[in-house]
């Protein structure tokens, strides 16, 4: 994978091979210094607890290691107060939160901080773990460096919020034992989360060797790679898609007089979340029911807008009588020649031409002229 958002690090690459690039990123390739702290050249020390490790401190250490001042830092895994006192920064251990002294623990009874409490105006009220604390205090600086821009760039602020909501907050919640539901039981188990994968890097209970040092290094590699991949996606896929959705909304009345159908210039882009946010800002208010675009094969798709971001229910599904049909059978029932298919749930259909896809959307609108209001579909 090419980390295009790291232009400031590219000159450091000693080779053009992907393997060398990954070794550059690998935390295992940065051995901790053995020099005493009295040495003028001694690297900084990042302290965290030893024993069983978790995703939050692995991510906290990995994020710090991405900053220039901590890139060569020694990771000191201990619960010894004297050793922790000699560290430049301590995460997830020590029983204190004091950013002036770079102490970032969240286990003490008095700690109840959230993004919302420490950064008024932010909506997230999940109790912070060590990962969230490090991200809160160093995240803007880190993202600006990784993106090759300044902290004042609006893109940094946008991606800072996006990465917390869709990456770091989950780690905070899992480490603090916060349920995903306020009541009721989950319908299925999630066993492949980042936190779960980190936990499985600890020694198995019946292994003779219970040393956790090697596993912790692997955990830092894992979470660092995940973080960088996610940031790359949001910068180069998610963020550019917003522009396409903005343009589609601005031109919606040219696509259809109802203003309820938009056409994306490029298919396959992540449009849903942007649509919900931008739709709420339209004046006069409007509800988008359908999105048309071309697929990879050049055929046209008509996709129904979901009621909510992660919902499988559409605001206005394609007609029941069309669902599950293809080709000529669908042509006959719909009265629209050139149809390709309609999904059995009615959330998407295909046609050979743009006009045909538009006709499928328009015919559905004619049957149901008042789809669900977008108010309840806004991203939480």
């Amino acid at each position: 994978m090419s980390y295009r958002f790291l232009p400031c690090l590219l000159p450091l690459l000693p080779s053009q091979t992907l393997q060398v690039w990954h070794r550059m990123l690998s935390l295992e390739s940065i051995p901790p210094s053995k020099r005493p702290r009295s040495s003028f050249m001694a690297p900084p020390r990042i302290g965290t607890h030893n024993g069983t490790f978790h995703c939050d401190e692995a991510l906290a250490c990995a994020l710090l290691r991405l900053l220039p001042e901590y890139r060569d830092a020694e990771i000191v895994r201990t619960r010894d107060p004297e050793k922790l006192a000699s560290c430049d920064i301590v995460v997830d251990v020590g029983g204190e939160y004091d950013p002036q002294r770079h102490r970032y623990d969240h286990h003490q009874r008095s700690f109840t901080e959230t993004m919302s409490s420490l950064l008024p105006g932010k909506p997230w009220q999940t109790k912070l773990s060590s990962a969230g604390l490090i991200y809160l205090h160093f995240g803007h600086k880190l993202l600006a460096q990784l993106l090759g821009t300044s902290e004042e760039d609006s893109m940094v602020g946008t991606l800072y919020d996006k990465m917390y909501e869709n990456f770091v907050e989950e780690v905070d919640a899992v480490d603090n034992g916060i349920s995903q539901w306020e009541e009721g039981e989950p319908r299925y188990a999630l066993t492949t989360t980042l936190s779960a994968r980190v936990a499985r890097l600890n020694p198995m209970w019946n292994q003779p060797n219970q040393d956790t040092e090697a596993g912790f290094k692997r955990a830092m590699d894992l979470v660092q790679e995940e973080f960088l991949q996610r940031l790359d996606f949001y910068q180069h896929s998610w963020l550019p898609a917003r522009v396409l959705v903005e343009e589609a909304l601005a031109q919606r009345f040219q696509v259809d007089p109802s203003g309820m159908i938009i056409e994306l210039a490029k298919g396959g882009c992540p449009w849903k979340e942007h649509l919900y946010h931008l739709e709420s800002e339209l004046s006069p208010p409007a509800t988008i029911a359908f999105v048309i675009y071309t697929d990879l094969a050049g055929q046209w798709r008509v996709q129904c807008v979901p009621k909510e971001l992660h919902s499988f229910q559409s605001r206005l599904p394609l007609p029941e009588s069309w669902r599950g049909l293809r080709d000529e059978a669908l042509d006959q029932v719909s009265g629209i020649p050139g149809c390709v298919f309609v999904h059995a749930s009615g959330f998407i259909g295909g046609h050979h031409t743009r006009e045909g896809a538009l006709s499928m959307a328009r015919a559905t609108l004619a049957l149901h002229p008042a789809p669900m209001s977008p108010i309840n579909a806004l991203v939480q």
Side-chain angles (χ1 to χ4, degrees):
M1 174 178 179
S2 175
Y3 293 101
R4 294 162 289 166
F5 57 86
L6 301 178
C8 57
L9 297 182
L10 289 178
L12 301 177
L13 290 176
S15 170
Q16 297 179 349
T17 65
L18 184 62
Q19 289 81 6
V20 173
W21 170 232
H22 279 295
R23 286 198 297 271
M24 271 290 294
L25 283 178
S26 172
L27 289 163
E28 289 189 52
S29 69
I30 309 175
S33 172
K34 299 300 183 183
R35 290 174 291 183
R37 287 295 294 163
S38 59
S39 170
F40 179 76
M41 296 299 293
R45 288 177 170 176
I46 301 173
T48 191
H49 64 82
N50 57 0
T52 299
F53 50 84
H54 310 97
C55 189
D56 72 312
E57 76 266 18
L59 180 58
C61 292
L63 294 181
L64 289 171
R65 281 278 194 92
L66 287 170
L67 291 166
E69 59 265 40
Y70 293 109
R71 182 176 182 274
D72 297 315
E74 176 185 359
I75 304 295
V76 179
R77 299 186 67 231
T78 182
R79 294 185 184 274
D80 186 327
E82 292 186 5
K83 292 181 179 178
L84 291 173
S86 70
C87 293
D88 299 270
I89 185 168
V90 176
V91 301
D92 209 46
V93 70
E96 59 178 326
Y97 168 54
D98 184 354
Q100 297 299 319
R101 297 176 49 247
H102 288 318
R103 293 314 188 247
Y104 302 98
D105 196 10
H106 67 109
H107 293 99
Q108 56 274 27
R109 185 182 182 86
S110 60
F111 185 88
T112 59
E113 303 292 358
T114 67
M115 267 281 184
S116 180
S117 68
L118 293 177
L119 293 179
K122 299 296 184 186
W124 305 288
Q125 298 182 14
T126 299
K127 180 182 174 182
L128 297 169
S129 69
S130 62
L133 284 171
I134 292 302
Y135 187 78
L136 183 146
H137 287 284
F138 296 90
H140 283 95
K141 180 179 181 181
L142 172 62
L143 294 186
Q145 175 196 318
L146 295 176
L147 298 169
T149 186
S150 68
E151 291 186 49
E152 291 70 31
D153 190 330
S154 61
M155 177 174 64
V156 171
T158 298
L159 294 180
Y160 177 88
D161 288 353
K162 186 67 176 174
M163 288 295 293
Y164 182 76
E165 185 173 50
N166 290 272
F167 193 93
V168 182
E169 186 178 24
E170 175 189 331
V171 177
D172 286 344
V174 170
D175 193 77
N176 284 303
I178 300 173
S179 175
Q180 196 172 2
W181 299 270
E182 292 185 2
E183 59 183 25
E185 296 182 0
R187 297 178 63 182
Y188 51 87
L190 295 177
T191 63
T192 60
T193 63
L194 185 61
S195 295
R197 283 181 284 143
V198 166
R200 283 192 289 271
L201 294 175
N202 281 283
M204 290 183 285
W205 68 273
N206 54 357
Q207 280 184 294
N209 184 359
Q210 289 291 305
D211 181 38
T212 58
E213 293 301 317
F216 186 71
K217 291 179 181 179
R218 291 176 62 196
M220 286 193 293
D221 283 341
L222 172 64
V223 295
Q224 184 188 73
E225 182 80 2
E226 290 264 351
F227 183 88
L228 295 176
Q229 286 178 344
R230 186 66 64 88
L231 181 60
D232 183 67
F233 169 78
Y234 287 142
Q235 184 190 7
H236 292 105
S237 178
W238 178 81
L239 203 55
R242 183 180 180 89
V243 177
L244 296 182
V245 177
E246 287 177 332
E247 293 173 349
L249 285 170
Q251 299 170 7
R252 66 189 187 279
F253 289 105
Q254 300 174 28
V255 176
D256 186 77
S258 70
M260 298 169 68
I261 306 171
I262 65 171
E263 178 180 346
L264 291 177
K266 293 183 180 179
C269 72
W271 54 267
K272 296 176 185 176
E273 186 175 357
H274 295 305
L275 175 63
Y276 295 136
H277 280 298
L278 294 169
E279 187 181 52
S280 66
E281 301 169 1
L282 292 176
S283 181
T287 302
I288 306 303
F290 299 103
V291 179
I292 65 169
Y293 55 87
T294 54
D295 62 17
L296 295 176
Q299 294 183 337
W300 283 84
R301 296 290 180 94
V302 52
Q303 186 166 348
C304 309
V305 177
K307 288 183 176 181
E308 297 175 350
L309 180 60
H310 300 294
S311 174
F312 292 106
Q313 293 184 317
S314 302
R315 289 179 177 174
L316 185 56
L318 296 170
E320 174 71 35
S321 60
W322 298 5
R323 300 176 197 176
L325 299 181
R326 298 187 60 89
D327 305 321
E328 292 182 0
L330 181 55
D331 292 352
Q332 293 177 2
V333 172
S334 67
I336 303 171
C339 292
V340 178
F341 77 98
V342 168
H343 191 273
S345 66
F347 87 98
I348 193 170
H351 198 282
H352 290 293
T353 68
R354 176 183 180 276
E355 284 304 315
L358 267 175
S359 295
M360 295 173 74
R362 288 168 176 163
T364 307
L365 282 175
L367 294 173
H368 306 280
M372 176 183 175
S373 167
I375 294 176
N376 295 326
L378 297 178
V379 178
Q380 300 299 313

